[in-house]
Amino acid sequence: ETGVTQTPRHLVMGMTNKKSLKCEQHLGHNAMYWYKQSAKKPLELMFVYSLEERVENNSVPSRFSPECPNSSHLFLHLHTLQPEDSALYLCASSPQVASGYEQYFGPGTRLTVT
Amino acid sequence: AQSVTQLDSQVPVFEEAPVELRCNYSSSVSVYLFWYVQYPNQGLQLLLKYLSGSTLVKGINGFEAEFNKSQTSFHLRKPSVHISDTAEYFCAVSEMLPTSYGKLTFGQGTILTVHP
């Protein structure tokens, strides 16, 4: 499989649940990103990882916990979410964690918090 | 901090007509500029980008964009659209700073609907 994949594609969870989103890139890239896409709001950057090290946390609440065990995999662990966290969560990767490089996006995970 | 404004939230056009999707940005430093497209139930795909050099940039699927530094704009154009161009289009910028870590700041998106 090529490109950036995300699982699951759809997730419904209650506010007391714990779940994880997974992202995998098969492009040999060094940088990985989590974005949140809410209805009627611009895409927001959440986290940036460079070679498995987190380099940016864009003021994201602690109920979102990222993990990057290696340069090909990125997780977003979710716990005690709120209904306003319902959104499309997009993962992206890039050759380098620097401006000017194209980011390659996965298809996203549609999250609904009930 | 940078910001991106896409002036039209929705643009309806007929097939084979020309289209322009407008994008203005604000930043205190120089930026790189991008246009991405998102088809239903898919992630974003890069259409084109401006890094330096010629201000007219050609991308995939017949799209092009022109960088205008004085007007801080990066409008997207296509001379003749197809039904398959129906999608949401996002303008984005990335500041030319090491500490930006490639962060993309997006506009709110423009939904292009092409009618037969």
Side-chain angles (χ1 to χ4, degrees):
Chain A
E1 196 167 3
T2 59
V4 180
T5 58
Q6 291 186 243
T7 54
R9 294 292 309 275
H10 300 272
L11 178 63
V12 179
M13 59 186 288
M15 288 189 284
T16 58
N17 291 158
K18 288 185 179 181
K19 296 286 184 184
S20 296
L21 311 184
K22 179 182 176 183
C23 174
E24 186 172 358
Q25 59 98 358
H26 308 269
L27 301 167
H29 289 168
N30 290 332
M32 296 188 79
Y33 305 79
W34 277 118
Y35 287 88
K36 176 182 178 182
Q37 186 177 23
S38 306
K40 302 188 187 303
K41 288 180 69 176
L43 276 130
E44 302 170 84
L45 177 70
M46 300 177 73
F47 301 103
V48 182
Y49 275 82
S50 173
L51 294 170
E52 303 136 52
E53 179 184 349
R54 190 191 314 177
V55 296
E56 178 84 351
N57 177 346
N58 205 30
S59 303
V60 179
S62 60
R63 57 185 184 270
F64 295 91
S65 175
E67 179 190 2
C68 189
N70 55 63
S71 60
S72 298
H73 294 86
L74 185 65
F75 294 89
L76 189 62
H77 304 298
L78 316 170
H79 66 97
T80 60
L81 294 191
Q82 304 298 311
E84 60 265 29
D85 297 322
S86 298
L88 182 68
Y89 289 85
L90 291 164
C91 172
S93 72
S94 181
Q96 300 290 336
V97 65
S99 298
Y101 287 93
E102 176 181 352
Q103 292 184 19
Y104 294 75
F105 285 80
T109 294
R110 174 71 62 186
L111 174 68
T112 302
V113 181
T114 61
Chain B
Q2 69 274 34
S3 67
V4 179
T5 302
Q6 291 183 239
L7 294 104
D8 306 294
S9 59
Q10 296 192 54
V11 173
V13 293
F14 287 106
E15 193 172 18
E16 298 183 7
V19 71
E20 178 179 81
L21 306 183
R22 297 178 294 168
C23 173
N24 286 95
Y25 70 92
S26 171
S27 176
S28 56
V29 302
S30 296
V31 296
Y32 298 116
L33 297 140
F34 304 81
W35 274 99
Y36 281 84
V37 60
Q38 187 177 31
Y39 299 102
N41 300 315
Q42 294 187 29
L44 279 69
Q45 178 185 6
L46 183 70
L47 274 178
L48 48 79
K49 62 182 178 183
Y50 174 78
L51 302 182
S52 64
S54 172
T55 56
L56 183 63
V57 181
K58 294 189 183 298
I60 62 171
N61 301 339
F63 284 93
E64 63 182 31
E66 185 153 22
F67 170 53
N68 188 318
K69 188 173 183 179
S70 62
Q71 297 187 7
T72 60
S73 67
F74 191 53
H75 301 332
L76 181 71
R77 301 186 184 99
K78 185 169 183 178
S80 175
V81 294
H82 303 290
I83 297 287
S84 59
D85 292 322
T86 295
E88 189 161 16
Y89 292 79
F90 294 93
C91 181
V93 301
S94 180
E95 292 186 322
M96 294 185 196
L97 295 171
T99 52
S100 74
Y101 302 116
K103 172 183 175 180
L104 289 172
T105 299
F106 286 89
Q108 294 206 302
T110 297
I111 297 174
L112 174 65
T113 304
V114 181
H115 298 283

